[in-house]
Amino acid sequence: QVGLEESGGGLVQAGDSLTLACAVSGRIHRSYAVGWFRQTPGQERKFVATIRWSGGNTYYSDSVKDRFIVSRDNADNTVYLQMNNLKPEDTAVYYCAAGLIGTNWIPWANWRAIGSWGQGTQVTVSS
């Protein structure tokens, strides 16, 4: 059983940077990745970024790939999401997730295919 706990959310201004952390407990298989989704009221969770637990390959949504950086520290079992040049449309609850990598990251296109979730952390970007 995998445990995921997010931290680092908060209120920032447009253009600021913020880093989220996801503390991972339990064993992550090498065929898995750990990453991030986000959700706004009335909307489904949307993929943000993910990193392969073994190897470090990354994958980003088009909306954040030039501004966000996902990384991991295997020594302390933590995955980070560094968010730069934040925009008001980045406002959401951010969820840490763990799931299969699959072929070409296909499972990460749909939150329903992801098996493990954290409780979420709120990020609010004011204009």
Side-chain angles (χ1 to χ4, degrees):
Q1 188 75 9
V2 174
L4 305 170
E5 184 174 359
E6 305 93 339
S7 61
L11 172 63
V12 296
Q13 293 186 334
D16 285 353
S17 296
L18 191 67
T19 298
L20 305 181
C22 175
V24 180
S25 60
R27 184 172 180 178
I28 301 286
H29 191 270
R30 61 183 179 181
S31 64
Y32 274 61
V34 177
W36 300 87
F37 283 72
R38 63 188 182 186
Q39 187 173 24
T40 54
Q43 302 295 317
E44 293 195 342
R45 294 183 186 184
K46 295 182 179 179
F47 169 70
V48 176
T50 188
I51 185 167
R52 183 169 186 157
W53 192 250
S54 175
N57 305 71
T58 57
Y59 178 54
Y60 296 89
S61 70
D62 288 341
S63 63
V64 307
K65 63 182 180 180
D66 295 327
R67 299 184 294 122
F68 291 9
I69 301 171
V70 63
S71 62
R72 80 197 193 289
D73 185 338
N74 284 4
D76 64 2
N77 283 357
T78 302
V79 172
Y80 299 95
L81 183 67
Q82 179 182 338
M83 304 183 292
N84 301 314
N85 189 22
L86 282 161
K87 304 175 181 180
E89 51 264 42
D90 294 318
T91 295
V93 177
Y94 284 71
Y95 293 92
C96 184
L100 282 168
I101 296 169
T103 302
N104 294 326
W105 302 97
I106 288 175
W108 290 82
N110 187 336
W111 66 271
R112 294 178 180 85
I114 301 300
S116 299
W117 296 93
Q119 293 300 307
T121 186
Q122 176 71 46
V123 173
T124 302
V125 184
S126 64
S127 57

